[in-house]
Amino acid sequence: MRRKLAAGNWKMNGTGDNLAQIAALTAAHPAPGVDILICPPATLLSRVSDAAGNAIATGGQDCHAAGSGAHTGDISAAMLKDAGATHVILGHSERREDHGENDQDVRDKANAAIDAGLTAVICVGESLAEREAANTLAIIGGQLAGSIPDGVTAQNMVIAYEPIWAIGTGKIPTLDQIGEVHDFIRTALEKRFGPGVGRSTRILYGGSVKPSNAEGIFAVSNVDGALVGGASLKAEDFGPIITALENA
Ligand code: 13P
C-alpha cells in the first residue's frame, strides 16, 4: 500500500563532477519497487533533474516560507519546482540547529511547499540528551504536532525520523528503538489525520544508513525507506541500499 522510498540528502556536497553518480545509479539499479529521490544542493538541482530523467525524483533541502520577495540567499518552493524538484526536505536537524528553525518555521515552509505542489519531507528527531532522559517520544510528538500543517495528505507529506546523534556518526538506534519511534509516529498520524492519511504516509528512517545495516533497518515495521546522507553520494553505496529496500 505504501511505496518504498530511498531518499538521498547530499547536504552541502557535490558539484558537476557528481552528476556521474546519477547516471551510474540509473544504469545499475532500476529498482521498480522503490521510489528514488535525490536532494542535491540547489546549485545542482536542474542538472540532477535533467540527468535523472523519470527514474529518479529530485528535491530541495530547504525552502523559504514566502513565495517571493526581499530574502537574499533564500529559495522559494516555486523556484525549486521550476528547477525540476518534486520534493523538499524541511526541518532537518542541521537547519534547526544551524539556522534556528523551530517547529512553526517548518510548518510555514511545509505549507509553502505544498501550495507550490511539492511533497514536504518533514524531519523530526531527538538529541542524545533527550534520548538519555527518556524524552524521545515526547520530543517527537511535539515536533510532529508543531511541524506538520493541517490538511496534509499522504501524497504531499513524508516523515523522516532522524535521531540527531545518529547523523554522520556511524551509530544507529537498536532496531527495537527504531520500531518504537516509527510505530509512535504512525499512531500519531492516524490520530491526527485519520486512518487513511495515517496509514498511507511514508515514514523514513535516517541517520548512518549504510549498505551494511540497511537490510536490518528495512525489516523494522513502519520503516518505509530511508533518508540517507553520506552513503547517498556514491552510487556504489546508495545502490545496495536501494536494492536492500527493494528486497525488504
Ligand atoms: P548520514 O546518513 O550521513 O548519517 O546523514 C543522515 C541525514 O542527515 C540525512 O538527512
Side-chain angles (χ1 to χ4, degrees), residues 22-234:
I22 301 295
L25 207 54
T26 317
H29 296 279
V34 175
D35 290 340
I36 305 173
L37 168 68
I38 297 279
C39 300
T43 48
L44 281 181
L45 198 44
S46 65
R47 280 183 282 170
V48 169
S49 294
D50 289 346
N54 292 329
I56 299 176
T58 52
Q61 299 176 8
D62 176 50
C63 70
H64 198 279
S68 64
H71 302 288
T72 302
D74 279 313
I75 298 174
S76 75
M79 291 169 181
L80 294 175
K81 190 158 190 231
D82 182 55
T86 51
H87 293 67
V88 58
I89 298 170
L90 295 172
H92 192 284
S93 59
E94 288 151 15
R95 298 289 316 173
R96 291 179 187 260
E97 198 171 307
D98 293 357
H99 299 272
E101 291 183 9
N102 60 29
D103 290 336
Q104 185 62 51
D105 297 325
V106 179
R107 179 187 280 239
D108 292 344
K109 289 175 179 217
N111 270 319
I114 291 165
D115 284 351
L118 298 179
T119 296
V121 181
I122 298 176
C123 302
V124 297
E126 82 286 3
S127 67
L128 186 58
E130 288 161 348
R131 175 158 287 277
E132 286 175 347
N135 279 337
T136 298
L137 298 183
I139 292 292
I140 303 296
Q143 290 174 337
L144 292 172
S147 303
I148 306 175
D150 293 329
V152 288
T153 69
Q155 284 71 46
N156 62 27
M157 166 187 60
V158 171
I159 301 297
Y161 167 54
E162 299 205 310
I164 297 169
W165 52 274
I167 294 175
T169 59
K171 294 181 194 153
I172 64 165
T174 66
L175 300 182
D176 282 349
Q177 288 171 328
I178 294 175
E180 179 187 35
V181 175
H182 280 242
D183 289 351
F184 174 82
I185 293 172
R186 175 78 57 219
T187 303
L189 294 175
E190 285 175 7
K191 273 193 198 145
R192 179 164 164 204
F193 299 107
V197 173
R199 286 184 203 146
S200 312
T201 298
R202 293 181 289 185
I203 307 173
L204 311 182
Y205 168 79
S208 295
V209 176
K210 312 274 178 229
S212 55
N213 60 22
E215 187 185 343
I217 293 169
F218 295 148
V220 176
S221 80
N222 284 315
V223 173
D224 302 310
L227 182 54
V228 183
S232 72
L233 289 166
K234 287 196 183 145

